[in-house]
Amino acid sequence: MCDLFGIEFPIFQGGMAWVADAGLASAVSNAGGLGIVAAMNMPGEALREVIQQTRQLTDRPFAVNIMLMSPHVEEVAQVVAQERVPLVTTGAGTPEKYMAYWISCGIKVIPVVPSTAVARRVVRNGACAVIAEGCEAGGHVGELTTMALLPQICDAVEVPVIAAGGIGDGRGIAAAFMLGATGVQVGTRFVVCHESSAHTTFKQKVLSAGDIDTITTGRRLGHPVRALKNPFTRKFAKLEWDNAVSDAELEAYGSGALRLAVQQGDADRGCFMAGQIAALVNREQPAAEIIREMFSQAERILSEGTKWVV
Ligand code: TUI
């Protein structure tokens, strides 16, 4: 997998909206992992600038994550091709519509998939690998857990499978490899790395989170999102389950809340998207240290067996 993507360690950094910028992606790529820039809801020209900024900071491969629910998806789909980005990951939908075009431009496409049906579809359309993301992940999630999803995806497709959701240390990497993955994607742990520009309050909240401190909201809208419990998510859950507001009002209530969390650290009105593994993340470290530490821990577990305890 490392040869396929031109990286040293089989570790992808999640394409987290507002967090996965040029600074974070280049730090991860420079450390030998795969840095990923999030296109999130950006217009095309804003993404072009971030891609060019990333190129100034690293000469190693990096990817752009395209969030398929973005209102600017058509534009950003063009920009990644014009800018000759080597790798594209996608999320929050299926990218079939763009795949033939991207592949014809020499882009390797690696969609996030929440089910075997979606995995088969994207591979039929030319995906060179897939990211099997379980619902332990932060942000927009599917229904299945990583533990159940991963081996099923590995059986369903012939391309390399990258595991995501609930992976925060070497034990997670080793477990993912045991289930058939050849790489992992890590989100929450990179939110608190030195090179992440997430607000200090966001980092503190992840660092102090306990095992049951996340909640999924938004199921009624068809796109459940996992985030840390706080006044925002509690109110969202209440509005959602009391059926007190229309779907449009509920959408409007959530709009902009992630940005408030990442950029302003707004503890009450922000949506602090994070995975269930947040409880395991208890230190802010450089990205390079996270990658080396996770990988060497996995190697020790895989060679010495589970008697090796963290
Ligand atoms: O995309 C993510 N995580 C995200 S996107 C995001 S921005 C957002 N904010 C508010 C509401 C919704 C989105 C925050 N976090 N992860 C990758 C991911 N993709 N998880 C699940 C999926 C997915 C779901 C359904 C991929 C494909 C899919 O296809 C279903 C179908 O049949 O089309």
Side-chain angles (χ1 to χ4, degrees):
M1 205 193 84
C2 287
D3 292 344
L4 181 62
F5 301 130
I7 55 181
E8 251 177 276
F9 299 98
I11 300 176
F12 288 19
Q13 158 247 314
M16 301 159 290
W18 299 107
V19 176
D21 56 12
L24 179 59
S26 60
V28 171
S29 287
N30 285 333
L34 184 72
I36 302 185
V37 163
M40 48 174 182
N41 283 341
M42 268 180 213
E45 289 316 305
L47 177 64
R48 196 189 304 282
E49 229 169 86
V50 181
I51 292 169
Q52 290 171 355
Q53 228 181 324
T54 311
R55 284 226 165 89
Q56 304 268 307
L57 299 170
T58 186
D59 52 11
R60 300 208 180 182
F62 64 90
V64 170
N65 173 262
I66 298 201
M67 207 278 281
L68 294 159
M69 284 166 55
S70 163
H72 303 291
V73 62
E74 299 292 335
E75 277 174 42
V76 294
Q78 298 284 330
V79 168
V80 289
Q82 290 159 359
E83 292 296 319
R84 303 254 164 258
V85 170
L87 303 158
V88 163
T89 67
T90 63
T94 54
E96 281 111 320
K97 186 176 163 195
Y98 310 102
M99 287 183 69
Y101 170 57
W102 286 336
I103 292 165
S104 75
C105 297
I107 296 176
K108 291 192 169 83
V109 187
I110 316 163
V112 169
V113 295
S115 67
T116 53
V118 173
R120 285 198 189 92
R121 254 164 55 196
V122 295
V123 169
R124 245 194 331 268
N125 282 279
C128 70
V130 293
I131 303 170
E133 188 184 272
C135 58
E136 298 93 321
H140 179 49
V141 288
E143 287 294 333
L144 296 181
T145 61
T146 304
M147 187 86 165
L149 179 68
L150 188 51
Q152 297 189 62
I153 300 278
C154 290
D155 284 351
V157 296
E158 298 286 325
V159 297
V161 178
I162 294 113
I167 300 171
D169 65 15
R171 291 173 296 185
I173 298 183
F177 281 13
M178 289 290 102
L179 294 172
T182 54
V184 296
Q185 176 164 283
V186 175
T188 303
R189 189 155 172 193
F190 282 122
V191 171
V192 299
C193 79
H194 283 174
E195 297 87 347
S196 152
S197 59
H199 195 278
T200 331
T201 304
F202 201 145
K203 292 185 176 181
Q204 281 310 322
K205 281 181 167 296
V206 170
L207 291 168
S208 61
D211 55 356
I212 57 166
D213 286 347
T214 71
I215 182 174
T216 52
T217 56
R219 196 157 257 118
R220 196 181 105 189
L221 302 173
H223 45 79
V225 165
R226 181 179 300 285
L228 296 174
K229 291 175 184 167
N230 74 339
F232 169 79
T233 48
R234 286 199 188 93
K235 169 119 189 261
F236 197 108
K238 187 160 167 38
L239 291 173
E240 183 172 6
W241 294 116
D242 286 356
N243 273 326
V245 295
S246 68
D247 285 2
E249 286 168 307
L250 198 56
E251 291 273 14
Y253 178 64
S255 165
L258 175 60
R259 184 180 186 172
L260 277 182
V262 178
Q263 297 192 329
Q264 289 171 33
D266 190 324
D268 293 332
R269 293 180 307 152
C271 180
F272 294 82
M273 294 187 192
Q276 289 183 328
I277 209 69
L280 219 68
V281 179
N282 49 28
R283 228 147 26 113
E284 189 173 346
Q285 296 168 284
E289 198 175 294
I290 293 176
I291 291 173
R292 278 198 307 271
E293 198 177 281
M294 285 184 73
F295 191 72
S296 63
Q297 191 185 45
E299 278 192 319
R300 284 188 70 178
I301 293 169
L302 291 168
S303 63
E304 294 172 29
T306 46
K307 70 175 191 296
W308 158 248
V309 177
V310 182

